[in-house]
Every structure is written in structure tokens, then in C-alpha cells.
Amino acid sequence: MTLIIDNLQHIQKSIQMACQRAGREVSDVTIIAVTKQVSTERAIEALNAGLSHLGENRPEGLLEKHETIENRATWHYIGSMQTRKVRKVIDQIDYLHSLDRISLAEEINKRVNHTVNCFVQVNVSGEESKHGLTPEEVPTFIEQLSNYPHIRVVGLMTMAPNTEDKELIRSVFKKLKKLQLEIASKGYEYAPCTELSMGMSNDYEIAIEEGATFVRIGTALVGSERRDSNEGER
Ligand SMILES: *Cc1c(COP(=O)(O)O)cnc(C)c1O
């Protein structure tokens, strides 16, 4: 496998150019290294390359790596979260990218005594295989989250459709940005909603042009060693 430091150099250059095209600051974009398909050793290589945000999509993967790496990384949970798994992982997570139902907010609120930074996951493309609320549901959902004092809505998250159609991908990111601004304008203290988690290996440049502040990059950055690791998303 290629060295992470070399992949990172290439990605940083692409991010720089995307930021330039969009008139944005590079420092406004955080790279999350998605390590769900690689070993703890490879995750440590990512840290040594200068990355500090790691993303996992299964409780097992998160706990295994967290045991070794602990607070040397900022931990992002990017997979769909089962209610019964919350208790096992919630104290190890800095950001949850997949808040998509009130019952999950309720469980999280019950299990912590600190504030949990959450992204509300939105299914902008409407694909049935994807998790998340419809854009129409989001404003009311976020209003309801005021009942759960440990939940802080830092932003919105989406996954673009898996397609070659770049304009379709762009339209999805544009819609999420519009929705984020709409929520942010309400001035909720518990839901500043300033962040946008969007963009993966194949579409992070478009995502940045459309306002992403967190990009979640796996394959292009750390590669992939495992075949079974997408299971946790379903
Ligand atoms: C796996 C995954 C990623 C990273 O995907 P790559 O295409 O490997 O960059 C990003 N976000 C989510 C939610 C994922 O499950």
C-alpha cells in the first residue's frame, strides 16, 4: 500500500485547489481519516502523517483502535448507530455523524453526563439504501432535539449518491448547504449547525467547493485492507 503521507500530500493539494476555486480557507476544512477498513497500525501511521481526526463506522472497530490510540485522536463515529450500542461507545466518541431519530437522541442523552457533538444525517438524494432524514423532516427534528440537553447539533451530514454524475453529486451538496444555513439562521443555542460533513474519496473536491467543513476520506487516504467492513453501515 502507498504511504499515507504521500496520499495525504496529494489530497492536501487537491483540497487547496478546491478551496481556491471556492474562495475558502484551507483551515476551514478538516480531514477525517476513515480507518474502518484498515488496522490499528495503519491508523497510527495516519496520526504520524499529521492527521488527528479518525472515523469509524462500527463499535468494534472504534473500541479496538481507541484502546490503543485513546486521546491521541479526535474520534468520529460515521456509521449508523444502533440504540443498544450507544452505551458501549458514547464515551469514546467526540463527534457522532449519524443522528437520525429521536429515540437515538433520547438514549444518548440518558447515557452521558457531557455534551455530545452531533451531525444530523440527511438523506438528500432520497436513495432507499441510505440512512437519514428527508430534508423536509430536518427543521422539526432539530426543534425536538431541544428536549435533550446533552445533544449539541454542530451540523448536518450527508452521503452523495454513488454515481459518475458530478452535477447530481453537486446538487446534493448544495441542498445540504442550503438546509444548514436555514437551521443556523434560527440561532438555537443547542444547535449552532455551523458545520457540514460531506465528501468522501470520490467527491471531496466537489463537497469542498460546496461548503464542506469536514470531509470523510477512507480509500484514497489510508487505503483498504478489509472486505467485510461496510456491513456496519446497514
Ligand atoms: C466508508 C465511509 C466513508 C469513506 O469512504 P471512502 O470512499 O473510502 O473515502 C465516508 N463516510 C462514511 C459514512 C463511510 O461509511
Side-chain angles (χ1 to χ4, degrees), residues 32-98:
I32 301 171
V34 176
T35 49
K36 69 188 185 193
Q37 302 197 87
V38 301
S39 63
T40 301
E41 290 66 41
R42 189 77 168 161
I44 291 169
E45 186 190 332
L47 299 180
N48 291 337
L51 291 154
S52 56
H53 292 255
L54 301 183
E56 284 283 330
N57 72 338
R58 291 194 307 173
E60 298 74 23
L62 181 100
L63 291 174
E64 187 188 310
K65 291 187 177 75
H66 190 279
E67 198 171 16
T68 307
I69 294 172
E70 297 182 324
N71 296 334
R72 291 168 58 209
T74 300
W75 294 95
H76 296 259
Y77 194 89
I78 62 171
S80 153
M81 177 69 85
Q82 294 176 358
T83 308
R84 64 190 168 86
K85 296 287 174 73
V86 165
R87 195 162 46 96
K88 284 174 82 171
V89 294
I90 200 65
D91 285 337
Q92 277 75 29
I93 297 172
D94 297 295
Y95 291 88
L96 175 72
H97 290 245
S98 53

Side-chain angles (χ1 to χ4, degrees), residues 34 36-37 57 78-79 157 159 200-202 216-220 230 233:
V34 176
K36 69 188 185 193
Q37 302 197 87
N57 72 338
I78 62 171
M157 178 275 211
M159 287 173 85
M200 314 184 357
S201 290
N202 290 323
R216 312 176 308 264
I217 309 182
T219 325
N230 278 321
E233 285 181 66

Side-chain angles (χ1 to χ4, degrees), residues 15 26-32 52-53 76 212-216:
I15 289 179
V26 173
S27 58
D28 290 341
V29 180
T30 299
I31 301 174
I32 301 171
S52 56
H53 292 255
H76 296 259
T213 59
F214 286 86
V215 289
R216 312 176 308 264

